[in-house]
Amino acid sequence: MNKELFVEEVKKLGIILNEEQLKKLEIYCNYLIEYNEHTNLTAIKEPEQIYLKHFYDSITIVKAIDFNKVNNLIDIGTGAGFPGMIVKILFPEIEVTLLDSNNKKIAFLQELTMKLGLKKVNFYHGRAEDFCVKNREKFDVVTARAVCNMTLLSELCLPLTKVGGYYIALKGSNEEEIDDSLYAIKVLGGEIEEKITFELPIENSGRNILKIKKSVNTPKEYPRRYDKMVKNPLKKNGK
């Protein structure tokens, strides 16, 4: 996806990118490629693929929510900043927290934030369940993109989501995985308000965005320790 097509496709999502935002995305792309030469951040290394599979794919989150009404957001397992850093570039007034267990990726994001001159960006190197201890039900929006399966992801994300807020999961086209997570989402205080299914331009690969509203408080016993989540996924049959 070249830059011209990128701008046109983003426009179809209701986003008109200004020159400052386009410049920031260009700096982002170039620095990602440069940094990736010595530190493994992403397997996607070509600019046109970065614009499609990282930038555009992240921006599709606007299909699910009006970020003009959001005060704060946390991106779980943000990696090289997708979608959290992209949301920040598009909606600079939102306070964004980027969380990842890989310190090299957090270091990249800290340097990128300085290069882009962004304010109100917080970083956390560690696991979501540890971060949740002091930040429970704090965020208007909790996002995650291609981190892990939906059952496990829901236990990481919903405890951080405010009641009345949203947990937005950007996933591929695995319908069985989504169906398997329904029990966990309910137990954790959420309900799927909308499932948005579409195809990525050019390559026509399937995507799902799950818009999950936090309707009641998450029970205090969640999230569990990560090893317990993996060993005993939150499913109706207890397995």
Side-chain angles (χ1 to χ4, degrees):
M1 176 180 276
N2 61 38
K3 292 179 187 177
E4 291 75 17
L5 180 58
F6 170 74
V7 169
E8 288 304 310
E9 290 296 329
V10 170
K11 191 181 295 184
K12 294 176 185 177
L13 298 173
I15 301 293
I16 308 298
L17 294 165
N18 60 40
E19 288 302 318
E20 182 182 355
Q21 290 166 332
L22 287 169
K23 183 61 178 177
K24 282 182 166 62
L25 290 171
E26 182 180 355
I27 293 169
Y28 196 163
C29 179
N30 292 338
Y31 192 52
L32 179 63
I33 292 169
E34 176 189 334
Y35 208 94
N36 208 55
E37 291 178 357
H38 58 78
T39 303
N40 183 28
L41 299 174
T42 175
I44 299 168
K45 301 173 183 179
E46 297 299 322
E48 291 194 352
Q49 291 296 300
I50 290 170
Y51 272 83
L52 173 64
K53 294 185 177 181
H54 282 327
F55 292 177
Y56 177 83
D57 196 28
S58 293
I59 294 172
T60 61
I61 196 172
V62 303
K63 289 175 175 281
I65 197 157
D66 180 1
F67 282 101
N68 293 301
K69 299 177 180 178
V70 173
N71 292 314
N72 64 9
L73 169 150
I74 184 168
D75 186 19
I76 302 298
T78 188
F82 309 115
M85 185 63 87
I86 300 298
V87 171
K88 180 63 183 178
I89 291 170
L90 268 58
F91 303 93
E93 293 307 310
I94 297 176
E95 182 172 0
V96 169
T97 300
L98 304 173
L99 180 151
D100 203 276
S101 60
N102 186 322
N103 197 38
K104 291 180 179 179
K105 292 178 179 177
I106 291 295
F108 163 74
L109 291 169
Q110 288 173 324
E111 292 178 31
L112 176 65
T113 297
M114 288 189 289
K115 278 184 174 289
L116 298 180
L118 299 173
K119 306 296 182 185
K120 296 197 296 184
V121 183
N122 309 307
F123 308 92
Y124 183 81
H125 167 229
R127 304 206 61 88
E129 62 271 27
D130 296 326
F131 182 79
C132 189
V133 173
K134 294 184 179 179
N135 297 279
R136 190 176 190 86
E137 298 183 333
K138 175 180 176 180
F139 295 92
D140 296 334
V141 174
V142 179
T143 65
R145 174 179 176 258
V147 176
C148 54
N149 74 71
M150 276 292 296
T151 299
L152 178 54
L153 191 60
S154 298
E155 190 168 345
L156 295 171
C157 292
L158 275 167
L160 288 163
T161 312
K162 284 181 182 176
V163 173
Y166 286 92
Y167 148 45
I168 311 290
L170 283 68
K171 303 293 291 183
S173 56
N174 190 336
E175 297 294 335
E176 183 179 352
E177 177 188 334
I178 295 168
D179 290 341
D180 285 347
S181 70
L182 296 178
Y183 175 76
I185 290 169
K186 183 177 180 180
V187 169
L188 295 161
E191 54 184 343
I192 295 180
E193 189 171 282
E194 189 177 8
K195 182 178 76 170
I196 303 161
T197 301
F198 62 99
E199 291 185 343
L200 210 60
I202 302 173
E203 65 175 42
N204 300 319
S205 52
R207 294 287 190 273
N208 281 303
I209 299 177
L210 281 294
K211 182 180 183 180
I212 299 162
K213 186 168 186 177
K214 178 74 168 281
S215 51
V216 297
N217 297 102
T218 299
K220 294 295 184 183
E221 62 264 35
Y222 303 110
R224 297 166 293 165
R225 291 201 321 267
Y226 189 77
D227 59 338
K228 286 193 172 183
M229 293 186 224
V230 173
K231 188 176 181 180
N232 298 299
L234 190 51
K235 295 185 178 181
K236 196 168 187 177
N237 59 12
K239 295 182 180 179

